[in-house]
Amino acid sequence: MTEPPTPGASSQQEAPPVCPRHPDRVSYVRCQRCQRPVCPECQRPAAVGVQCVDCVREQARTVRSARTVLGGRPNAAPVVSYAIVGLCVLVYVLQLAVPGLTRDIAFVPALGRTEPWRFLTSAFAHSPSQITHILFNMLALWVVGAQYLERLLGGVRYAAVYLVSAIGGGVCYLLLSTPPQVVGGQLVGGTNWFTAAVGASGAVFGLFGALVVVNRKLGLSNGGIWATIGINAVIGFVVPGIAWQAHLGGLLTGAACAAVLVGLNGRESRRYQWPALAGVLALLVVLAVAKYALTSDPTQVFLGG
């Protein structure tokens, strides 16, 4: 003899499945990952069937994004290059609008001792009278930096290479400049000691130097970049008003920074990349301080130093 069914038991067993996120919606489709009912609004296409939004979000948190061999994200937007270009354009507009701004932020060896910020600010200024100056630099930055190096190195490392190379360009300009001599109460010689230098060229040449080192590490050809460096080197000596010293300093500094990143790219050694980059920057500071300390600069009397 069978017992009569308990009142309400059949209705409980046959209750239709509902979406956990929308309890008022019945759904007989289940997530392929958690097997919970999922309504059309919460369904996301999967390789087989669908998944719910919660499982998709959880997978996005746990799955590691693709990285290049040097730690960058190949599909990431080059936000650092965008920022550099935007800052250079902004400074250029301000140079045109604010009288004396170029004079105040340009690098001048005679002023670097007491105004060291000029080593960096000069890299974001350009000649107000030659728009081609900023156009060529930003084009080179975009082609070499935004399209390749930033994605390969990652934004933070790329920014470090750029900024340290900019400072390296100013330091080399300083090292290859000589103060004038006092002859008969007059300052004689030392033209470069008073010549202002502006432009991102030193930092851009730093990217060139970094590209040479990185391509060599990856086994890629450097023919094109060597040709670019050679052409620009010739222009620096032929066309007046170009600070080839800053180009040279940026090139060497960028290569040194890239050598640090490439040489310390192992799983265990990568932690030493930042201390090593700080060491490159510290060396630049020491060279600049030594130059000012060991050079007798009579112009300080005239400049009030």
Side-chain angles (χ1 to χ4, degrees):
M1 178 178 177
T2 59
E3 296 181 0
T6 303
S10 175
S11 60
Q12 291 178 0
Q13 294 176 356
E14 297 177 0
V18 295
C19 175
R21 296 173 63 88
H22 301 93
D24 59 326
R25 302 178 186 178
V26 177
S27 176
Y28 291 93
V29 178
R30 294 184 177 272
C31 171
Q32 294 298 313
R33 193 161 184 255
C34 67
Q35 295 302 311
R36 296 183 304 173
V38 53
C39 70
E41 183 178 342
C42 297
Q43 294 175 11
R44 298 294 183 270
V48 178
V50 296
Q51 291 186 3
C52 65
V53 291
D54 296 323
C55 288
V56 171
R57 187 178 297 112
E58 179 64 23
Q59 281 183 308
R61 284 200 300 262
T62 57
V63 175
R64 297 180 62 182
S65 59
R67 293 275 187 171
T68 68
V69 67
L70 294 177
R73 290 187 174 91
N75 297 323
V79 293
V80 175
S81 294
Y82 290 154
I84 294 173
V85 172
L87 185 56
C88 287
V89 172
L90 174 62
V91 172
Y92 184 77
V93 172
L94 291 175
Q95 288 178 261
L96 296 176
V98 180
L101 178 61
T102 303
R103 180 192 64 243
D104 294 336
I105 62 178
F107 178 70
V108 182
L111 300 176
R113 184 200 305 263
T114 55
E115 301 176 358
W117 60 83
R118 292 175 178 267
F119 283 95
L120 188 58
T121 58
S122 60
F124 295 94
H126 291 81
S127 174
S129 61
Q130 297 180 1
I131 192 173
T132 54
H133 188 203
I134 186 173
L135 290 179
F136 284 144
N137 280 339
M138 295 303 98
L139 176 62
L141 170 66
W142 182 257
V143 173
V144 177
Q147 300 298 314
Y148 187 65
L149 273 182
E150 181 173 353
R151 300 177 190 274
L152 190 62
L153 298 177
V156 178
R157 296 183 189 87
Y158 169 77
V161 172
Y162 187 89
L163 295 175
V164 176
S165 297
I167 296 173
V171 170
C172 189
Y173 186 75
L174 167 67
L175 295 177
L176 297 179
S177 300
T178 304
Q181 302 297 318
V182 178
V183 178
Q186 299 292 326
L187 294 177
V188 179
T191 304
N192 284 347
W193 198 251
F194 300 102
T195 302
V198 293
S201 302
V204 169
F205 265 77
L207 299 184
F208 291 166
L211 182 59
V212 170
V213 174
V214 169
N215 279 351
R216 183 176 179 83
K217 171 65 176 180
L218 300 179
L220 302 176
S221 172
N222 274 318
I225 190 62
W226 279 124
T228 301
I229 293 173
I231 293 173
N232 282 274
V234 172
I235 293 176
F237 284 102
V238 174
V239 178
I242 295 180
W244 61 267
Q245 302 93 330
H247 295 181
L248 176 62
L251 180 70
L252 296 177
T253 305
C257 291
V260 164
L261 298 177
V262 168
L264 299 175
N265 192 46
R267 179 175 299 178
E268 296 298 327
S269 59
R270 187 170 291 182
R271 71 183 70 175
Y272 301 110
Q273 286 183 342
W274 288 108
L277 287 175
V280 175
L281 179 59
L283 176 60
L284 294 175
V285 173
V286 168
L287 290 174
V289 171
K291 172 70 174 184
Y292 283 124
L294 299 176
T295 301
S296 176
D297 182 9
T299 62
Q300 293 302 309
V301 176
F302 293 88
L303 294 173

